[in-house]
Structure formats: structure tokens, C-alpha cells
Amino acid sequence: MLFVRSHFAWAEVIIILNFFNLASLYFRHNTYPRFIHTPVVSAPLAWTFVAIYWNGAIMVPHPDNLVARIFGNIFIWSLLVFGGFYIVVYNDYTIGFSLSVLAAAIGVAQFLDKVIALQWIFAFVIMALLFVATVTIAVPASAGRDITWKRRSDDAERAPLLNE
């Protein structure tokens, strides 16, 4: 309601509070089954992260300014960092899929708005990277295996045999 009535500063405060609420929910309940976890936690968290930037971009007084466009081109990469964190640390492919869909939507919207710009190219690159990382996690998870990002050393396997 605040967004519709053009109270963007108050809407930003509420969105940020909602983001912290969803993030704390995620960290407390990240092991729930994926058919519950996706619609309740990870998809709303991804949407809220994008909504923070969307509402923030609307609050900018001169959005066609060069500085605003440069910040937009920089901030879009935070989608990759945010999604990469959850993909690598928690092996959560649901938030990766959600953010890749949202990055594709941003890319299409920016392409239809300004054909000669970098932001839509960045959005599609981010979408592709998130999608590949997500599929890398999702395929082994669907087979019941877990992918680990850390290398195991041979000493870790022999450790029980050592007299330590």
C-alpha cells in the first residue's frame, strides 16, 4: 500500500524489515522439504531482495543520470553474489532458480527499455551463471547425492587409522 501511494521511503523501510525477517526464517528453517521451503522462504526472499533495489531505484530523483545508471550496472551484480552465497554455502538450488528467473525478467525489461545499455546484458549473464550453478547443485540433489565445494584430502580418510 505504501508503494502504490508513492511513499517509497517508508516502503523501503518495510521491505528491508521484511528482508531481515525472511533471512532469519531462512537461517532457522533451511532444511525443510523443498516443496515447503521454496514457496514459503526462498522465493519470497529472492523477490524481497530484488524489491529492495526496485523500490530504491524508483526513489532516485534522476534515474537517467549517468551516476544512477553506473550504480544500476554495479548493483545488478549483487544478484549473483547473493544467489552464489546461498548456492555455495547452503547448496540451495531453489533460491538460485528464483533469482535466475528474476534476473531474466530484469534483462527482458531493460532490453525493452533501453536497447543500447549494459544492464540487460549483465542481467542475462547473471541469469546464465546462476542457472548453471543451480543446475550443478540441483541435479545431484535430485539423485540423492550432495555436491561439496571443498576438496577432501587423503589424510582425512586415513585419520581414524592414525594414533592420534
Side-chain angles (χ1 to χ4, degrees):
M1 188 56 120
L2 292 170
F3 183 84
V4 172
R5 304 232 185 237
S6 299
H7 298 293
F8 299 119
W10 286 111
E12 188 76 11
V13 170
I14 298 297
I15 292 171
I16 290 171
L17 289 173
N18 189 29
F19 176 77
F20 285 119
N21 181 35
L22 288 169
S24 69
L25 178 68
Y26 182 91
F27 293 130
R28 281 183 284 154
H29 303 290
N30 62 351
T31 58
Y32 274 29
R34 293 301 170 203
F35 71 92
I36 295 172
H37 178 74
T38 302
V40 174
V41 181
S42 65
L45 182 62
W47 168 249
T48 304
F49 185 74
V50 171
I52 288 172
Y53 287 123
W54 182 24
N55 190 41
I58 291 173
M59 290 190 314
V60 173
H62 303 288
D64 293 328
N65 181 325
L66 179 65
V67 175
R69 291 181 71 182
I70 290 172
F71 276 114
N73 288 334
I74 293 170
F75 286 148
I76 195 161
W77 288 99
S78 67
L79 290 174
L80 181 63
V81 173
F82 183 72
F85 170 76
Y86 287 100
I87 290 170
V88 171
V89 174
Y90 292 103
N91 289 343
D92 188 1
Y93 56 88
T94 60
I95 202 160
F97 277 131
S98 299
L99 282 172
S100 64
V101 167
L102 290 169
I106 291 171
V108 169
Q110 289 297 318
F111 179 74
L112 295 175
D113 188 38
K114 291 183 173 71
V115 176
I116 302 176
L118 293 174
Q119 195 166 9
W120 66 269
I121 298 168
F122 292 159
F124 286 129
V125 168
I126 291 165
M127 179 221 34
L129 291 173
L130 279 173
F131 187 76
V132 167
T134 301
V135 168
T136 304
I137 296 296
V139 169
S142 68
R145 293 187 310 250
D146 236 359
I147 189 167
T148 57
W149 297 97
K150 299 175 189 170
R151 290 184 163 254
R152 294 182 183 156
S153 67
D154 292 335
D155 293 336
E157 292 178 11
R158 294 184 347 183
L161 301 176
L162 299 176
N163 288 330
E164 293 183 300

